[in-house]
């Protein structure tokens, strides 16, 4: 339930993997907001530690994070750089 997850504790997650037919992992993870991801590349394990800031405690904290989310975050830096470079060097065919 999305509403229940949104009200839950940071670092909580629901992960399901279909090992039988398609080897797809679906994950829902709660940070400041709920994040959803699908992957055929990686799954839930190993659980990672993400850094966050707790406003109530006014300090940095570590939050449990499924590997699928961690892998996505790490690879997005490369995609963002590639998109930026492509936009700078667009070649138009006439």
């Amino acid at each position: 339930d999305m509403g229940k997850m949104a009200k839950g504790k940071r670092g909580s997650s629901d992960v399901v993997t279909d090992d039988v037919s398609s080897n797809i992992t679906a994950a829902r993870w709660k940070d400041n907001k709920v994040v959803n991801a699908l992957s055929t590349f990686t799954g839930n394990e190993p659980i990672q530690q993400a850094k966050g800031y707790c406003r109530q405690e006014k300090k940095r904290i570590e939050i449990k994070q499924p590997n699928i989310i961690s892998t996505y975050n790490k690879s997005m830096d490369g995609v963002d750089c590639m998109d930026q470079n492509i936009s700078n060097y667009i070649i138009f065919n006439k």
Side-chain angles (χ1 to χ4, degrees), residues 38-79:
L38 288 172
S39 177
T40 58
F41 177 72
T42 188
N44 187 42
E45 300 292 331
I47 299 295
Q48 306 293 321
Q49 294 294 321
K51 296 185 190 273
Y53 184 78
C54 179
R55 286 185 223 148
Q56 291 86 6
E57 298 178 25
K58 298 183 180 178
K59 67 177 186 176
R60 303 290 268 158
I61 59 171
E62 291 203 350
I63 307 161
K64 290 182 180 178
Q65 185 180 60
N67 191 49
I68 183 175
I69 304 293
S70 176
T71 302
Y72 173 81
N73 287 338
K74 288 175 189 172
S75 62
M76 275 311 296
D77 288 337
V79 171

